[in-house]
Amino acid sequence: MLVRSRVTRLSILVALLLIVSACTPAPSGGGTPSSSTAASAAPKSGGTLTVGTSQDVLTLDLPNYRSTQDLLIGGLIFDTLVTYDNGKIGPGLAQTWKQTDDQTYQFTLRQGVKFQDGTPVNAAAVKAHFERAMKALKGQRFYGDIDTITTSGDYDLTFHLKRTFTPFLTNLAFGVGGIQSPASIDKYGQDILHKPVGTGPFKLTSWVQGDKIVLDRNPDYWGPKPYLDQIVIKYVVDESTRMAGLESGELDVIQNAPPSRASDIKSSKDMQLITKPYAQSFWLGFTATNQYLKDARVRQAIAMVVDAKSLVSNITEGIARTATGFVPPELEEATVKPISGDATKAKQLLADAGYPDGFSIDLWTPNGTYLKDKEIAQAVQERLKSIGVTANIKVLDYSAYVDGLSRHEAGLFVLGWAHTPSPDSFFRGVFYSKSASNWSAYKNPDVDKLIDQAVGQSSYEAAVKIWQQIDQNLVSDAAGAPIYWSNLVYAGRNRGHE
């Protein structure tokens, strides 16, 4: 049975919604934290929530996003045409929609909605956004199959696709589809990455890169008004420093709470731990153009000794979930069988590939961007010694890390990737040979063919079967070595919104 991910507003906005519900009781119908007990008083409107995060924002021009954090913060500023929740498409800026044939989608917009610069949200504005997004570096992966967009009056528009594209509606619910004011693009030009103007519940007040972002409540928001007056997101890379900030009261909530402190947080009357399955994969990546890793036998040998189950148990202390494939069970039923073998078999594969004495290779990692990323890289380094492979760890700032990966400069690397509701965007983005985000430089004509074949299916269920096959092919060919599927892990103070 297929279990699809739960997506509110945007697919990864769940994280901040959980933060808010952890610091004040949930309103009627709202969610509750997974541990500890929320306060019993009614929610209070107003106040500032200060969040300590392990990853900085790189751009708020979402069709050219560079990290999950860009989409998370952008999700508070922008709205999408439709939303995706519990496997169902729901209204966003579009009030109604219908699919008239395999390649045509019609939308009717909400009336009276304005961008944060006061300009109206109308069919022309939405058309302008997607005509830009479909050509953008990341946006083309989601909307590149749009042929033309036509409008009829101020509130009706029609998307005409080049071909049948099954994930089209779910892709519209993803953050890249957060609609930016066309007037702001004309005004700010290339500086739009620092000047986001959407229709969401919060608007950008200030941004000091490498330090903090301040968002204020949008008083003209068309939807339910947020309780908070302001959200401050502080970039604090060290997990011990984040935890100290939470304990001192400097921070209300922290991302990636230290697993070693989980029991302390759970037993505290002042704090609570918030965990929830999150559709993000974390794996050991292989740059396929590397002199050693271009041979599948070498990649398979390394994958055999990674031992994801042990890494999850010992390094993340069970906070994450052991991955068997790349796609988490929130999106499709887990059917992938991992590569099996031990150090003896791995050594034989290396010998067959011409490396009986092993070799030396760089292993890149950020520090604190993903749960225990550096520590997992260090554990992998130790495991590779058992087959004669010397991994030289290189810890980089995330921005430099992403830039280097995009140029295929790493050998081995650890990487996390947040999924959209459809597996297509992951496979097409990460392993499709023509993708700008194919940082492993992986090329497999059979995989490319299956990726294109899946989206042309007449039903989502038929596409899922092909996506499962793609996942198995990637694991068997050791395009990467899956390690864990994420859980959202936040710790918050029980203080409400003063």
Side-chain angles (χ1 to χ4, degrees), residues 49-287:
L49 185 75
T50 304
V51 182
T53 179
S54 58
Q55 187 175 352
D56 198 9
V57 173
L58 302 179
T59 177
L60 286 170
D61 178 14
L62 299 191
N64 292 295
Y65 78 94
R66 297 178 63 198
S67 74
T68 298
Q69 197 76 347
D70 301 343
L71 295 169
L72 173 62
I73 305 307
L76 296 169
I77 299 169
F78 298 102
D79 289 307
T80 50
L81 269 183
V82 294
T83 60
Y84 186 85
D85 194 3
N86 287 330
K88 295 181 180 180
I89 299 294
L93 288 177
Q95 211 159 20
T96 61
W97 61 93
K98 63 180 178 179
Q99 183 178 355
T100 58
D101 60 43
D102 287 347
Q103 297 174 218
T104 309
Y105 297 79
Q106 296 177 348
F107 297 86
T108 298
L109 302 177
R110 296 179 186 274
Q111 298 186 21
V113 179
K114 292 185 177 182
F115 289 105
Q116 293 157 2
D117 60 4
T119 57
V121 175
N122 53 30
V126 174
K127 179 175 186 279
H129 169 80
F130 282 101
E131 286 181 338
R132 176 176 180 265
M134 61 193 265
K135 300 173 185 176
L137 182 64
K138 298 293 180 64
Q140 62 184 335
R141 186 166 86 243
F142 300 90
Y143 312 122
D145 280 287
I146 296 172
D147 186 15
T148 60
I149 305 171
T150 57
T151 63
S152 176
D154 286 339
Y155 299 106
D156 294 293
L157 71 160
T158 302
F159 290 79
H160 307 271
L161 306 188
K162 299 173 184 176
R163 58 171 177 164
T164 300
F165 192 76
T166 301
F168 181 65
L169 279 176
T170 55
N171 280 1
L172 289 178
F174 190 56
V176 180
I179 297 169
Q180 171 95 21
S181 160
S184 69
I185 295 174
D186 292 340
K187 179 178 180 179
Y188 297 117
Q190 292 298 317
D191 198 37
I192 198 67
L193 77 162
H194 297 115
K195 306 286 186 181
V197 180
T199 60
F202 290 89
K203 58 184 181 179
L204 180 68
T205 301
S206 65
W207 179 9
V208 179
Q209 201 133 23
D211 182 19
K212 66 179 178 181
I213 285 179
V214 179
L215 304 175
D216 284 343
R217 176 172 21 190
N218 175 11
D220 301 317
Y221 181 53
W222 59 270
K225 302 298 186 287
Y227 285 105
L228 293 165
D229 287 332
Q230 187 178 79
I231 300 175
V232 178
I233 299 103
K234 290 188 175 182
Y235 177 49
V236 186
V237 65
D238 181 70
E239 66 176 22
S240 298
T241 304
R242 288 197 304 276
M243 188 65 199
L246 180 68
E247 291 177 312
S248 69
E250 178 186 352
L251 302 174
D252 299 311
V253 176
I254 60 171
Q255 177 192 31
N256 287 348
S260 61
R261 298 294 307 278
S263 60
D264 296 336
I265 297 168
K266 287 180 179 180
S267 63
S268 171
K269 65 179 182 359
D270 299 318
M271 297 181 290
Q272 55 187 300
L273 188 69
I274 310 147
T275 62
K276 185 178 179 69
Y278 177 38
Q280 181 188 57
S281 302
F282 180 85
W283 69 95
L284 177 66
F286 306 124
T287 303

